Amino acid sequence: MAASVAPGVVSAALMITQAWLLARGIVGVFETHQLGPVTWVIPALVTVFALRGLVSWVNETLAHRAAAEVKSTLRRDILAARLANPTRTDVPTSTLIQVVNRGLEDLDGYFSKYLPQLGLALVVPLIIGTAILVTDWPSAIIVAFTLPLIPVFMALIGWTTQKAVARRFSVADRLAHHFADLIEGLPTLQAFGRARAQRKGVIITEDANRRETMRTLYVSFLSSFALEFLATLSVAVVAVTIGFRVVYGHVTFFDALFVLVLAPEAFLPVRQVGAHFHDSADGVAAADAAFEIIDHSAPAMTGTAAAPASADIVVDAVSFQHRGAERPAVDAVSLTVHPGEVVALAGPSGSGKTTLLSLVMGFASPTRGQILLGAQPLADTDPDSWHALTAWVPQTPGMVNGTVADNVRLGLPTATDDQVAEALAAASVDFPPDKRVEDLGEGLSSGERRRVAMARAWLRITHGAARWLVLDEPTAGLDADAEAQVLATVRATGAGALVVSHRPAVLAVADRVVELETTRNGVPA
């Protein structure tokens, strides 16, 4: 905005110079009926046109640089917010991708068109209006009364446009989410012969997106027509009144022509703000979505204290409620895990077992209560030092494109081939370390992924600095023999473990079992 004011002032001065030159040249030809006395006007006009082009280029360059910088900053902030709260469930991956990619790209219209034009609209009408006032005050009064009508109508139309764009963005987000879910579940749908049946749902969502897009375009075209019509009428009023005054000799031909050339230029920046508002609306909607992600993703752990290596994990009356949820996912849970002790979390689905693990890992902050490492609050602990002491195996372990050995080394990048092989054997992995793993773990079954993740965790415990195992359904999808091997591995590490499981074999080997109950409306069932 600040950078667009200076080019706006120069642009307004050049417009006044251009109008003066045009009026001087035309009046000179009419008075002398010769081109000779006004030939100097032509090179002067060419110079003014070139300078206006240069000013416009500077303005656009500054605007595009600002857009690129803001988009880059927002993308970094969104990714930082996501990493600060990786288990957040109210922002689907499809929404994140839409906002970071296509959504923020629409900010180009906001920064390269709308904001520079807004700067011009603040400066140019004031300077041109002053020039008209000095030349012919009755015309300046007409401009002063009619010019504010455009922002009033623009605001009324802008509210309608904003609502239409917000609806369209919501529908587009729903379409992206639906399509992402469909692609992710396509193998299962194909296996059960239900893939073609999903076509109707995609068509319905796509038609809704098309209708909202057409409604937005309808509002855009209608508003542009209204603004152009209002500006044209305003200039026409100036032209008619000054024409009659020229006929009756109340104003000179030069002054009248000078004002007539300047009058449309006074209205043009304000009209363009309304036209470019539609270019900015999509970007502003995406920016609002980006701020929604950023503002509600404060890191749970912001301290600098080192995590104690041999302290108890104390969960003290912890409750957690997801944003927008009607009831807490975890309600007043208390437990203590001693070093070397295996504690199992059991309970029905929806009782908050996985959420509690996320709280223990520091991925989210409790709504009430606190988690302690001995006497030290987890919130005051340096997250890197705490995560260095933990080996986490989620329900869906993360896998990268590479080999099985590459994925095991995520737990300890300095591990040797022998250590990787030892870890795979400890986790009962019966396939070679050089087996290929594609994106999202393609090439491995869900049980095989869990075994690779257990090997990774074993490597962190045995050869790294980790002292705690945090496991979410580590034996799901495993047969009895593989499950027994994994459980023996957990016990053999000697590390403290907090394990979520429904499996009787896991509960049997635990030192203690803590039952969590499903809550309804915040009251334990």
Side-chain angles (χ1 to χ4, degrees), residues 339-351:
E341 183 183 26
V342 177
V343 175
L345 297 178
S349 297
S351 58

Side-chain angles (χ1 to χ4, degrees), residues 70-85 88 91 95-101 103-104 107 286-295 297:
V70 169
K71 287 189 297 183
S72 178
T73 301
L74 278 177
R75 287 190 173 108
R76 286 196 299 267
D77 290 346
I78 290 174
L79 293 178
R82 183 67 169 190
L83 292 174
N85 193 351
R88 183 175 174 182
V91 182
T95 299
L96 196 69
I97 292 173
Q98 183 191 7
V99 170
V100 170
N101 288 290
L104 291 183
L107 279 175
D288 289 340
F291 292 139
E292 182 74 10
I293 296 171
I294 295 168
D295 293 342
S297 295

Side-chain angles (χ1 to χ4, degrees), residues 11-12 15-16 18-19 22 52 117 120 124-125 128-129 132 147 235 259-271:
S11 179
M15 288 178 188
I16 294 172
Q18 175 184 313
L22 284 172
R52 288 189 65 180
Q117 198 62 48
L120 293 177
V124 173
I128 291 181
I132 295 176
L147 187 61
V235 174
V259 170
L260 279 178
V261 174
L262 276 184
E265 299 292 346
F267 290 93
L268 181 62
V270 183
R271 287 159 49 196

Side-chain angles (χ1 to χ4, degrees), residues 404-406 408-409 415-425 433 455 459:
V404 169
D406 293 335
V408 172
R409 282 195 176 93
T416 64
D417 291 341
D418 291 339
Q419 290 172 338
V420 170
E422 186 182 2
L424 292 173
L459 195 62

Side-chain angles (χ1 to χ4, degrees), residues 87-260:
T87 59
R88 183 175 174 182
T89 58
D90 61 329
V91 182
T93 303
S94 56
T95 299
L96 196 69
I97 292 173
Q98 183 191 7
V99 170
V100 170
N101 288 290
R102 177 59 186 159
L104 291 183
E105 284 301 317
D106 289 333
L107 279 175
D108 282 335
Y110 182 77
F111 282 97
S112 64
K113 296 179 181 179
Y114 179 72
L115 272 188
Q117 198 62 48
L118 192 60
L120 293 177
L122 294 174
V123 175
V124 173
L126 183 62
I127 296 176
I128 291 181
T130 302
I132 295 176
L133 178 63
V134 172
T135 305
D136 183 48
W137 66 266
S139 298
I141 292 176
I142 296 174
V143 172
F145 273 99
T146 56
L147 187 61
L149 294 177
I150 296 180
V152 171
F153 278 89
M154 189 169 63
L156 295 174
I157 295 170
W159 291 331
T160 304
T161 302
Q162 197 171 22
K163 293 178 181 177
V165 169
R167 285 197 305 268
R168 193 197 70 79
F169 189 85
S170 176
V171 171
D173 182 50
R174 189 161 63 247
L175 175 61
H177 190 38
H178 183 189
F179 191 73
D181 283 346
L182 179 60
I183 294 300
E184 186 174 356
L186 196 57
T188 303
L189 293 170
Q190 185 69 24
F192 288 95
R194 298 296 299 168
R196 290 186 179 275
Q198 304 305 311
R199 179 184 177 189
K200 184 177 180 181
V202 175
I203 291 175
I204 291 173
T205 311
E206 185 180 4
D207 286 342
N209 184 52
R210 179 184 55 80
R211 286 194 301 271
E212 291 299 333
T213 301
M214 293 305 297
R215 185 177 289 113
T216 303
L217 291 175
Y218 172 78
V219 173
S220 175
F221 292 143
L222 184 63
S223 62
S224 296
F225 169 76
L227 294 177
E228 290 290 337
F229 183 69
L230 186 61
T232 302
L233 284 181
S234 301
V235 174
V237 171
V238 174
V240 170
T241 55
I242 205 169
F244 278 110
R245 291 169 55 228
V246 168
V247 171
Y248 290 104
H250 296 160
V251 64
T252 65
F253 183 34
F254 172 82
D255 290 344
L257 192 57
F258 179 67
V259 170
L260 279 178

Side-chain angles (χ1 to χ4, degrees), residues 314-320 330-335 366-370:
V314 181
V315 179
D316 183 17
V318 163
S319 298
F320 180 80
V330 176
D331 188 39
V333 173
S334 296
L335 62 91
T367 307
R368 292 187 302 275
Q370 63 177 339

